[in-house]
Amino acid sequence: MHKGVFAGVISMSLLQAIAFPAMASSDLSHWITWAVEHDVAKQQIQSQADAMTDAGVASSQWMDPKLKLGVGGLPIDSFALDKDPMTNLSVGLMQQFGRGDTLTLKQQQTREQADSIRKKLGVRALDVRFAMTNLWIEAVYQRNARQLLQQNKALFKELEQYLSMNYGVGVNQAQDVIQAQLQIARVDDKLDANAQVQQRIKAQLSEWLGEQAQSVVPKHYPKWSALQAYLDTQTSSPNYYSALAQHPSVAVVDALIKSNETSIDIANEAYQPQFGVEVMYGNRQATGMNGQPASDLLSVYLTMDIPLFTENRQDKQVSSAQHQLGATKAQRDLLLQQMNAQVEAVRHDRMNLQQRLDRYQNGLLRYAKEKTQAIERGYQNNTSQLDEYIRAASDALSVELEQARLQADLALANAKLSYLLNKF
C-alpha cells in the first residue's frame, strides 16, 4: 500500500464529522416513566401527607369529656354518709368546646400542610427526570466518544501493521513503528477511561432503575420540542416569571403560604371566649329536716374564659403568624429570583454553546482537515515526518471530540432550562 494512499485514508476517516442529531428518545421517556412510578421516595412523601391529614382530623376534635366522681359534705367526726343531709355522692361530666372556629381552622390548616407535602411529589418526579436526563446525555456523549476512539485505534493499528511491514523491508525506521504503537496505547488508555465513566453512569442510573440500568443503551440526545416551542414565544425581553410560578417547587411554597394565612385566622380566634359545660348529679342518703329522705341534687354549670389581657398572648400570637406569613412570601419571591437568574445564566450559556458549535462545524473541522492534508502531501514528498502526521491526525480527533463535548453540553443546558421552566 502506498503511504500516500494510506495517509489519505487516515486523514479522510479521522476528519469525517460524526453528526449527533437531537433525536427524540422514546427509550428515555420509557425509563423515566418507569422510574417515577417505582420511586420509593414517592411512597415516603405520600405517607407523610397522609400522616399530616390524619393528624389534622385528630386535632380538630373536641377535647374528651372528663368524668368527675366524689363525696361532698362528708362529716369528719363520723365519716357517715347518712347522718348529714348535706352529704352526697357526686358523679359528673365536664365538656370543653373549641375556641370560636379554631378546631375547624386547624383541620383546614393541616389539609393545606398535607397539600404542600403532596406537591413535593411533583418536585421529586421533576428531579428524577432531570437527573436521569443528565446521565442519559453523558452516556450518549461517552458512547459517541468511544466510537471516535475505536475508529482512531483501528486506523492506527492498520498504520502500525503497514509500518511494521515496511520496516521489515528497510523502508521505515523502528521509531516509526514505536510511534504508532505509542499512539495505540494512548487510545487504549482513553478507551479504558471511557469504559470506567460508562460503568459509573450505569451505576448511578441503578438508583432509579435497579438492575435494569445495565441494559440501558442510550444512543441519541433527547428532543427538546416543548422547550423550543416555549422559547419561540418569548420576545426580545423575555419574562420567565409566569412559567417559573408553575414550577412544582414554587407550588410547594404557595401551599405553605395558604397554611400560614390560616395560622393568622387561628390566632385571631384566640380573642374569642372558650366555653365549657359541667353537669353534676349528687345522691344523698340522709334524711332531711322534715324526716323525709333528702332529695338528690343536680348541678349544671357553664364555664367561660374571658381573654382580657391580650397584649402579651393573643396579640403576640397574631403578630407571630403575620411575620411567618411574610417570611414565607419572601421565601417564594427569593426562590423565583434565584430560578430566574439561573434561567438567564443557562440561556446565555446555551447561546454561547450554539455559537461555538457553529464555529466548529464551519471552521475548525475544515482547518484541521486542511492541516492534515497539507502534512500528508509533505509526508508523500518526504518533507514531513510521521510524528507530524500522527500529531495532526490526533489534533483532528481532538477537534471532533471537542465538538461532541459541546453538543453534550448544549443538551445539558437544554435539560437545565427544561427543568427550571418545567418544559420537559
Side-chain angles (χ1 to χ4, degrees):
M1 181 185 294
H2 191 274
K3 66 178 182 179
V5 175
F6 181 76
V9 172
I10 294 179
S11 62
M12 294 303 294
S13 299
L14 285 176
L15 293 169
Q16 182 181 7
I18 296 180
F20 307 129
M23 298 177 61
S25 177
S26 58
D27 288 341
L28 174 59
S29 300
H30 165 75
W31 290 121
I32 289 176
T33 301
W34 191 94
V36 172
E37 289 178 353
H38 296 82
D39 187 18
V40 178
K42 181 173 69 174
Q43 182 59 45
Q44 176 191 4
I45 294 172
Q46 187 63 53
S47 296
Q48 289 176 340
D50 293 342
M52 181 64 69
T53 300
D54 292 344
V57 174
S59 65
S60 65
Q61 306 305 305
W62 286 351
M63 295 180 63
D64 291 334
K66 294 181 179 180
L67 178 65
K68 186 176 182 180
L69 299 173
V71 178
L74 183 67
I76 61 174
D77 57 348
S78 64
F79 294 101
L81 298 176
D82 56 357
K83 297 299 183 181
D84 193 318
M86 296 298 294
T87 303
N88 64 88
L89 296 174
S90 300
V91 59
L93 283 176
M94 300 172 60
Q95 177 64 60
Q96 192 173 26
F97 304 102
R99 192 184 301 274
D101 293 329
T102 299
L103 297 180
T104 302
L105 290 171
K106 281 186 175 180
Q107 186 172 12
Q108 175 183 331
Q109 184 182 44
T110 52
R111 284 200 303 266
E112 292 164 347
Q113 291 172 342
D115 183 53
S116 176
I117 294 175
R118 287 192 178 92
K119 289 185 182 301
K120 292 181 180 179
L121 291 170
V123 179
R124 175 63 182 178
L126 195 59
D127 287 343
V128 170
R129 178 180 289 274
F130 179 55
M132 290 186 64
T133 300
N134 283 344
L135 290 173
W136 186 275
I137 291 170
E138 285 295 337
V140 172
Y141 164 72
Q142 294 298 331
R143 182 176 183 273
N144 292 334
R146 188 172 188 83
Q147 290 176 348
L148 285 171
L149 291 170
Q150 287 174 335
Q151 180 186 14
N152 185 262
K153 178 182 176 180
L155 293 170
F156 276 106
K157 282 185 71 69
E158 187 175 352
L159 174 62
E160 188 265 341
Q161 292 173 0
Y162 170 73
L163 294 174
S164 296
M165 181 180 63
N166 284 351
Y167 173 70
V169 296
V171 176
N172 291 107
Q173 299 179 359
Q175 65 182 26
D176 294 334
V177 178
I178 295 174
Q179 277 185 318
Q181 293 173 341
L182 176 61
Q183 189 66 21
I184 293 172
R186 287 174 175 171
V187 174
D188 281 335
D189 182 66
K190 292 179 180 179
L191 285 170
D192 290 341
N194 180 278
Q196 180 181 354
V197 173
Q198 293 198 52
Q199 290 172 357
R200 183 170 68 247
I201 290 174
K202 290 193 174 184
Q204 290 173 306
L205 283 172
S206 68
E207 177 181 351
W208 302 284
L209 301 179
E211 295 181 356
Q212 298 179 103
Q214 298 301 319
S215 62
V216 175
V217 183
K219 296 182 179 180
H220 306 292
Y221 293 127
K223 186 176 181 180
W224 313 100
S225 54
L227 174 65
Q228 192 59 51
Y230 170 77
L231 294 177
D232 289 342
T233 63
Q234 298 303 299
T235 61
S236 57
S237 300
N239 185 346
Y240 303 106
Y241 278 96
S242 59
L244 293 174
Q246 306 303 317
H247 196 276
S249 297
V250 179
V252 171
V253 183
D254 286 337
L256 288 178
I257 289 176
K258 291 182 179 179
S259 174
N260 289 332
E261 289 173 344
T262 305
S263 293
I264 296 178
D265 295 335
I266 293 173
N268 283 322
E269 291 300 308
Y271 292 100
Q272 303 296 325
Q274 186 172 18
F275 294 93
V277 174
E278 181 177 344
V279 179
M280 296 289 297
Y281 171 78
N283 175 262
R284 295 196 293 182
Q285 300 180 9
T287 57
M289 298 180 62
N290 58 3
Q292 298 296 321
S295 174
D296 292 342
L297 304 174
L298 178 66
S299 302
V300 179
Y301 302 96
L302 174 67
T303 63
M304 179 181 69
D305 69 348
I306 304 175
L308 294 179
F309 309 103
T310 63
E311 182 178 358
N312 292 322
R313 185 184 295 273
Q314 287 85 352
D315 292 352
K316 295 300 182 183
Q317 289 176 343
V318 172
S319 177
S320 174
Q322 291 173 338
H323 288 311
Q324 185 60 48
L325 175 61
T328 309
K329 288 183 176 179
Q331 177 186 354
R332 183 182 187 275
D333 293 340
L334 178 60
L335 178 61
L336 286 172
Q337 289 178 359
Q338 291 173 337
M339 293 175 67
N340 186 70
Q342 291 179 47
V343 169
E344 287 290 345
V346 176
R347 187 173 67 89
H348 287 296
D349 287 344
R350 183 172 177 267
M351 294 172 57
N352 292 331
L353 287 168
Q354 290 173 331
Q355 292 174 356
R356 293 181 63 192
L357 269 174
D358 291 340
R359 185 180 301 114
Y360 270 78
Q361 293 169 353
N362 300 326
L364 290 178
L365 284 176
R366 178 168 57 85
Y367 298 150
K369 178 179 178 180
E370 291 175 353
K371 176 183 177 181
T372 306
Q373 289 175 343
I375 296 177
E376 174 193 351
R377 288 191 295 269
Y379 182 59
Q380 292 174 357
N381 298 325
N382 294 322
T383 59
S384 299
Q385 299 298 320
L386 180 63
D387 59 347
E388 293 181 85
Y389 180 79
I390 292 178
R391 192 181 309 111
S394 299
D395 289 343
L397 173 65
S398 297
V399 170
E400 286 188 308
L401 289 173
E402 289 165 4
Q403 177 181 328
R405 182 67 257 177
L406 285 175
Q407 289 173 321
D409 290 342
L410 178 59
L412 290 173
N414 285 328
K416 183 65 174 180
L417 270 182
S418 298
Y419 171 78
L420 291 170
L421 298 171
N422 197 16
K423 298 297 180 183
F424 275 107

